[in-house]
């Protein structure tokens, strides 16, 4: 089976489904997107690796794994999303130590969070992309937009790919705050190491500044 390289387009959250996040992967040599519904903690970890806007004073779990791996000369070479069963993605981390390759089973969000930290490529098989890949609508003249498509994904995660611990309900209490208040709360949340709260505040800021 042929492998298809993917890049990370970003993470989106639903305007209507509180606590729901979708990791959007791009087909490198094509137009299809591979959306994967993930939990808030995993979304936070990937977002930090992507944006580098929030610098935790102590390493998060995926940062700790990277530090541990580097200490023992373990390198993550690539990540492969290798299976989709009953709407759940399964992934493998391809590691190497002393020129010996090992394959480690992992949740897709964890695998991608590590791939980002090791600058490792991400792949899936063509048949998985054929089955789960979609074309997000972006033509405003038709009254359709990408955010609406993502809301559809997040509203019905069982229709697309997800993880076994996907999306718990959470309330967004930040809509009524001003931008300056949000930035103050973001700084406080980071200082208190409350990264889930920091991620939600960052998302509210990003929504307003986009």
């Amino acid at each position: 089976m042929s492998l298809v390289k993917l890049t990370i387009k970003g993470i989106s959250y639903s305007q209507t489904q509180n606590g729901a996040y979708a990791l959007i992967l791009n087909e490198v040599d094509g137009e299809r997107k591979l959306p994967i519904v993930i939990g808030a903690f995993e979304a936070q970890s990937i977002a930090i690796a992507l944006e580098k806007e929030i610098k935790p004073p102590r390493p998060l779990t995926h940062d700790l794994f990277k530090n541990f791996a580097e200490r023992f000369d373990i390198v993550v070479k690539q990540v492969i999303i290798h299976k989709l069963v009953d709407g759940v993605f399964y992934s493998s981390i391809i590691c190497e130590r002393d020129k010996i390759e090992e394959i480690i089973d992992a949740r897709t969000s964890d695998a991608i969070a590590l791939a980002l930290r090791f600058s490792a490529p991400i792949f899936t098989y063509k048949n998985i992309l054929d089955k789960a890949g979609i074309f997000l609508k972006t033509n405003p003249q038709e009254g359709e937009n990408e955010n609406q498509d993502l809301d559809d994904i997040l509203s019905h995660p069982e229709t697309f790919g997800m993880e076994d611990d996907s999306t718990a309900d959470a309330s967004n209490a930040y809509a009524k705050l001003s931008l300056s208040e949000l930035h103050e709360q973001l700084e406080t949340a980071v200082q208190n190491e409350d990264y889930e709260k920091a991620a939600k505040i960052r998302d509210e800021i990003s929504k307003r500044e986009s």
Side-chain angles (χ1 to χ4, degrees):
M1 290 184 291
S2 60
L3 286 172
V4 178
K5 190 173 183 180
L6 304 169
T7 59
I8 298 175
K9 176 178 175 60
I11 297 173
S12 180
Y13 67 98
S14 173
Q15 303 285 339
T16 58
Q17 301 294 313
N18 289 332
Y21 291 82
L23 172 66
I24 310 299
L25 303 174
N26 273 346
E27 179 184 15
V28 169
D29 295 320
E31 298 296 327
R32 288 175 294 184
K33 319 294 183 190
L34 190 65
I36 304 173
V37 179
I38 62 175
F41 175 80
E42 292 78 14
Q44 163 202 312
S45 182
I46 292 170
I48 287 173
L50 279 172
E51 302 170 13
K52 304 185 186 302
E53 292 179 357
I54 301 174
K55 298 186 182 299
R58 293 188 297 177
L60 299 178
T61 302
H62 298 110
D63 299 316
L64 177 61
F65 181 94
K66 182 175 187 292
N67 295 340
F68 182 89
E70 288 180 337
R71 180 66 61 89
F72 291 95
D73 297 321
I74 300 169
V75 178
V76 172
K77 304 293 290 184
Q78 62 182 9
V79 162
I80 300 176
I81 304 171
H82 64 84
K83 186 166 62 174
L84 176 60
V85 178
D86 296 329
V88 177
F89 286 105
Y90 294 80
S91 294
S92 296
I93 302 172
I94 315 302
C95 301
E96 185 178 273
R97 182 174 184 268
D98 295 333
K99 298 183 179 180
I100 299 174
E101 189 174 275
E102 299 285 350
I103 301 176
I104 300 174
D105 182 52
R107 295 187 310 165
T108 298
S109 58
D110 290 328
I112 290 174
L114 291 174
L116 282 169
R117 287 163 169 81
F118 281 89
S119 299
I122 302 165
F123 297 93
T124 192
Y125 289 108
K126 183 179 181 298
N127 66 319
I128 293 178
L129 195 58
D130 289 341
K131 181 178 180 181
I134 63 171
F135 293 91
L136 294 181
K137 306 180 187 73
T138 56
N139 188 347
Q141 293 181 349
E142 298 177 0
E144 297 173 332
N145 58 62
E146 185 170 306
N147 287 334
Q148 181 60 51
D149 283 340
L150 293 174
D151 262 352
D152 291 342
I153 292 167
L154 293 165
S155 299
H156 305 284
E158 70 282 355
T159 308
F160 301 90
M162 68 182 94
E163 295 201 313
D164 55 1
D165 61 344
S166 60
T167 64
D169 287 336
S171 60
N172 184 348
Y174 309 112
K176 296 182 180 180
L177 297 179
S178 67
L179 270 176
S180 61
E181 290 171 330
L182 287 170
H183 282 290
E184 289 176 3
Q185 290 208 16
L186 175 61
E187 183 177 350
T188 300
V190 173
Q191 291 175 350
N192 293 336
E193 300 184 29
D194 188 348
Y195 300 120
E196 182 174 350
K197 180 178 179 180
K200 292 175 183 177
I201 298 171
R202 184 209 58 232
D203 288 342
E204 179 67 24
I205 293 172
S206 298
K207 180 176 68 174
R208 297 191 194 184
E209 294 181 341
S210 61

